[in-house]
Amino acid sequence: MVDERDHDTSSSSLPSLSNHLADTTLGGSADVPVIDLSVSDEGFIVREVVKASEEWGVFQVVNHGIPTELMQQLQVAGKQFFDLPEKEKEAVAKEGGFEGYKRNYLGGIDNWDEHLFHRLSPPSVINYKYWPTNPPQYREVTEEYTKHVKRLTEKIFGWLSEGLGLPRVALSQSIGGDTAEYALRINFYPPSQHSELTIGAAAHSDMGAIALLVPNEVPGLQAFKDEQWFDLNYIDSAVVVILGDQLMRITNGRFKNVFHRAKSDRERVRISWPIFVAPRDDMSVGPLPELTGDDNPPKFETLLYKDYIDKKIKGWALEGLHSLLKPPQN
Ligand code: OGA
Ligand code: NI
C-alpha cells in the first residue's frame, strides 16, 4: 500500500490528462447513482451496484448501516487534528515513507492540501506511530469506524461478485481476502480563491480496488463520465464508493475505474475521509479466469500489485515529460 497521491507533486509529474480535462463542461443530464441499502430486495441492490459500477465506477450509498453518530465522531476527530498548531501535527509527520502527516502547499497548484495517511488493517501492518494521540479519542473512533467500513466493503464485494455470477467471496479473495490492506487518508483542503481551477486533488483514478469516502458538507468531488465532469451532490451521512484500477483489471474492464478530482471551496474548508482497500504488495492481480474466455480475452496483464504501482508511477513521470515537451494545448 502506498499513498498514491503523495509522490512528487510538482505539476509536471501529474497526469497531464488532468490539465486537458480541466475545462470540459459539467454534465447535468445524469447524476452519480445513489443506492439505498435498506431495501429488502437484495437482488435489486445487486443489480443497482453492478449497473453503477459498469456505467460510472462511482456511486453513493445511504442507509448503509454505519451509525451516523460514529461518522460524526470521525469527522470531529479529524477536524480537531487539523486545527492543531502545525508543530503538534508534525508529531506524526511523514519521515520519508508514505504514512503520516504532510502539508502540500508549495508543490504546484494542482494538489493543494494537507493530509494524514496511515494504515488501518490488517493489525500486522498498523503503525500507531502515525496515528495522532491528539485528539485523545482519535484511535478509538478510527478503530470503531474501520470495523464498520470493513463490514460494508465486504458486503459491497459480495453483491458485486454475485452480480458477476461468481461466488460471494470471489472479489474479496481476488485481492487477498483478510490480507487486503485498508488505509485512511484524511484530506484537508483550505479555502482557495482559485477554486475554479482543479486545486485540491488533481484528476486521477485510485490504484487500489475500492475506496469508501465520507466528505464534510462542503461539495467539491467530481467524477468523469462520457467526456464530462459531474458534481457529486452532498447527501448527509452517505458514503461515496469509488472503484479503483484493480477492480477494473480483475473484471477485465467490466467495471470502471472512475477518474475523479476534488476542488477546494472559495470560502470554506473541505475535508474528506477516504479509506482505500488494496491488495498486499506481493499479491498477484489480473482478470479472473471466470470473466475471460475466447470471446473475451484478457485485456490486462496479471501483475504483482507492487509492479502495477511501479508501472503507473513511471507512466506519470513519462506523461509529465511529454507535457513539458509539447506546446500548451490551449
Ligand atoms: C483521494 C480522493 C477526493 C476527495 O484522496 O484519492 O479522490 O474528495 N479524494 O477528497
Ligand atoms: Ni481518489
Side-chain angles (χ1 to χ4, degrees), residues 121-135:
S121 181
S124 58
V125 304
I126 296 178
N127 193 343
Y128 286 113
K129 189 176 169 192
Y130 299 110
W131 293 46
T133 51
N134 191 7

Side-chain angles (χ1 to χ4, degrees), residues 260-275:
H260 55 285
R261 68 183 184 186
K263 303 209 291 180
S264 42
D265 191 79
R266 294 183 81 84
E267 266 112 41
R268 293 170 296 170
V269 167
R270 177 160 190 279
I271 314 181
S272 67
W273 288 258
I275 288 185

Side-chain angles (χ1 to χ4, degrees), residues 1-15 94 96-100 102-113 115 117 185 187 200-208 245 276 281 305-318 320:
M1 173 78 73
V2 296
D3 181 356
E4 53 189 87
R5 284 184 39 227
D6 186 33
H7 294 284
D8 179 0
T9 53
S10 67
S11 46
S12 66
S13 72
L14 291 163
K94 294 198 191 200
F98 53 84
E99 288 188 283
K102 186 170 171 189
R103 262 171 98 89
N104 254 340
Y105 295 143
L106 299 172
I109 59 164
D110 270 12
N111 276 338
W112 209 67
D113 71 350
H115 64 262
F117 184 88
R185 195 182 211 269
N187 296 303
H204 66 282
S205 63
D206 293 339
M207 279 195 234
D245 299 347
F276 301 99
D281 281 1
Y305 184 52
K306 64 171 176 241
D307 292 338
Y308 177 81
I309 294 170
D310 283 353
K311 279 201 168 189
K312 183 155 173 171
I313 292 169
K314 281 198 190 107
W316 288 345
L318 269 182

